[in-house]
Amino acid sequence: MPSNQTLKHPSLSFGLVAAQFTLIALLLLNLPWQFSVIALIAQFSAIVLGLWAIKTMHLGHFNIVPDPMPDIELVTTGPYSKIRHPMYASILLFFSVMVIEHNSLITYAIYATLTLALVIKLSYEERLLKEQLPFYALYQQKTKRLIPGVF
C-alpha cells in the first residue's frame, strides 16, 4: 500500500476547505437573522458539541484541512466515542433548523451541497487516517460518522 504522503492531495484538501467556508458564508447570507427557540437550542447544542470536540482533541491538534497532522493520535473519548466527526456534525446541526424553518429552495440546495462537501471531506480524511493510524479501521467499526447510531 502506498505511503500516506502519496495519498495526500493538497489542492483537494484546500479546495474542500474553501468549498466548506464558501457554502457556510452563502448560508449566512441567505438565512434570516430571526431565530426560533428551537433554532437557538439547536445552535447552542451545535456550539457545545463543537467546543467539546475541540477540548477533547486539544486545541493544538485541531487541523482545518483534512490532512492528518504528522504527530496525530487517535482520540476516542468525549464526542469521539460516539461519532468520528463531531465538528462537521456541529456545523450541520447549527444550520439544519434554520434551513428547515426558512423553507427556501436556495437554502436547501446550499445546505445539501454543504452536506455533500463535508461528507466528501470526511471520506478523504478517513482514507488518510486509515493509512496513518493502525487502529482507525477498528474505530470506524465502533462509531458512526456524524449521527450516533445512524450515519
Side-chain angles (χ1 to χ4, degrees):
M1 173 103 20
S3 74
N4 193 9
Q5 285 295 79
T6 61
L7 294 176
K8 287 183 183 179
H9 301 284
S11 59
L12 175 61
S13 298
F14 288 107
L16 289 167
V17 171
Q20 173 185 337
F21 280 97
T22 300
L23 292 162
I24 288 171
L26 287 171
L27 280 174
L28 291 171
L29 290 171
N30 282 284
L31 288 168
W33 287 94
Q34 53 191 1
F35 307 108
S36 70
V37 172
I38 293 172
L40 289 174
I41 291 169
Q43 289 174 326
F44 178 77
S45 299
I47 291 167
V48 168
L49 176 60
L51 291 174
W52 185 24
I54 291 170
K55 182 184 182 310
T56 303
M57 180 180 282
H58 304 294
L59 192 55
H61 293 102
F62 176 76
N63 192 9
I64 199 156
V65 294
D67 302 347
M69 298 177 100
D71 61 342
I72 192 169
E73 293 179 19
L74 183 59
V75 177
T76 59
T77 59
Y80 295 93
S81 67
K82 302 292 181 204
I83 55 176
R84 298 190 298 270
H85 303 279
M87 287 183 254
Y88 297 161
S90 71
I91 292 168
L92 294 173
L93 176 59
F94 185 87
F95 289 106
S96 63
V97 177
M98 291 170 52
V99 168
I100 292 167
E101 287 181 351
H102 186 55
N103 197 23
S104 157
L105 187 57
I106 187 73
T107 55
Y108 284 130
I110 296 168
Y111 185 80
T113 307
L114 173 62
T115 302
L116 179 62
L118 290 177
V119 169
I120 291 169
K121 185 178 174 190
L122 70 83
S123 297
Y124 172 65
E125 182 177 352
E126 288 188 341
R127 189 181 81 196
L128 296 176
L129 287 168
K130 280 172 61 174
E131 279 294 311
Q132 194 162 339
L133 298 170
F135 297 107
Y136 196 79
L138 180 61
Y139 173 63
Q140 285 179 300
Q141 293 173 5
K142 295 180 178 183
T143 56
K144 297 295 182 181
R145 287 178 161 182
L146 294 169
I147 304 169
V150 179
F151 174 76

